[in-house]
Amino acid sequence: MIEFHPITIDDFAWAAPIMRSSNYMCCGYSFVTQFMWSHAYNTHIAQYDGWVLIRSDVGDACYYLWPAGKGGDERKAIEAMERDAERIGRPMYLYSVTLEAKTQLEEWYPGKFTITSDRADYDYIYEQANLAELPGRRFQKKRNHVSRFIRENPDWQFHPLTKEDLPAIRAFNDAWSQLYENKDNPGIQTEHTSIELLFDNFDKLDLRGGYVTAGGRIVAFSFGSPINDRVFDTHVEKALYDVTGAYNIINREMARNVCAGFDLINREDDVGDEGLRAAKLSYNPDIIEPKYLAALNK
């Protein structure tokens, strides 16, 4: 039997290295992603035969992350998760299933799972060099926004995010969450709780980020964490809407200063929001990574 328990900050030390060893690109394999949204998805974690197993109890179903790590026989882990869902008495789903894993699942268990995908769940992944340098004609508009920001804010600076900066960043994020229609957006308010959870545990997680000041005030901040040695996951990016180019400059500076040691930057999914989708596509993703959902047939 798998011994699941609610995910806590104490799980980071043992679970994060195993999750990184998977070498998957999608954001679900970042411990920080799982931890920050745990309050919203009732996330549980366990170690089983060398794998990290993660279960989210949402509605009347159990959603299991495809096994993370390089443990024993994956089939044994999947079958153990099936028994866990049966014990609880809820339908079983496997999520963040890659194309390769989908093919493997269909080979191992013909007809046992119904496998679907949702475009809103696909991750947007970019080459670090492209976001850092914004090269060529396809990034011309982005370079123009950055140039305008620099021209209109000659005293701008990028600062690495440290624990000492958190009070000011928290105040900025509090104010941002109340801007315009943000205060009435349930998703933004849930995200605000998630960000606060990470800030509460800033010195216990491998969080890396920065912020931009101009005119003596913070105008943008962002942070993330490694998914593995090649891929960095951007968890949060916030900027003032009325400062032209603020989002563009924090995006570029994060790529240049924080993600310099990584090949790829995962900017996560678009949750089906058309505005967010357009923004992510405008940066010309190098990979749009599909993620499949496998439902155990009854």
Side-chain angles (χ1 to χ4, degrees), residues 5-16 31-32 34-36 38 45 197-207:
H5 62 268
I7 192 170
T8 73
I9 190 62
D10 294 332
D11 293 307
F12 175 75
W14 70 266
F31 179 90
V32 175
Q34 295 291 347
F35 178 67
M36 74 181 289
S38 58
I45 193 168
L197 177 63
L198 295 187
F199 285 163
D200 286 342
N201 295 279
F202 186 84
D203 57 348
K204 299 176 184 177
L205 294 166
D206 188 12
L207 297 177

Side-chain angles (χ1 to χ4, degrees), residues 272-293:
D273 182 278
E274 291 301 323
L276 192 56
R277 179 171 298 180
K280 290 180 186 286
L281 288 172
S282 73
Y283 269 97
N284 305 296
D286 295 282
I287 301 168
I288 299 179
E289 179 74 358
K291 293 182 286 185
Y292 296 91
L293 183 70

Side-chain angles (χ1 to χ4, degrees), residues 149-170:
F149 176 85
I150 293 172
R151 185 171 62 252
E152 294 180 354
N153 301 278
D155 65 342
W156 79 277
Q157 288 184 289
F158 176 82
H159 312 263
L161 182 60
T162 68
K163 186 177 181 179
E164 289 67 36
D165 298 314
L166 291 185
I169 298 299
R170 281 180 132 145

Side-chain angles (χ1 to χ4, degrees), residues 226-274:
I227 296 175
N228 54 54
D229 291 341
R230 295 185 61 245
V231 187
F232 186 86
D233 185 5
T234 300
H235 301 302
V236 174
E237 182 182 271
K238 305 295 180 189
L240 295 179
Y241 300 129
D242 58 355
V243 178
T244 301
Y247 271 105
N248 305 103
I249 195 70
I250 190 63
N251 188 311
R252 190 192 75 170
E253 293 304 300
M254 279 287 292
R256 288 185 172 186
N257 294 282
V258 176
C259 304
F262 297 86
D263 298 327
L264 300 168
I265 301 172
N266 185 325
R267 292 179 54 77
E268 303 190 351
D269 55 61
D270 61 35
V271 299
D273 182 278
E274 291 301 323

Side-chain angles (χ1 to χ4, degrees), residues 46-53 68-77 80:
Q47 187 167 4
Y48 180 86
D49 195 24
W51 302 101
V52 171
L53 303 184
K70 294 184 179 296
D73 188 340
E74 276 180 305
R75 286 173 294 185
K76 291 182 179 179

Side-chain angles (χ1 to χ4, degrees), residues 110-131:
K112 188 171 183 176
F113 290 87
T114 298
I115 303 175
T116 58
S117 66
D118 182 354
R119 177 63 178 78
D121 197 38
Y122 290 13
D123 282 0
Y124 294 80
I125 300 174
Y126 308 80
E127 290 189 10
Q128 179 273 339
N130 285 336
L131 294 190

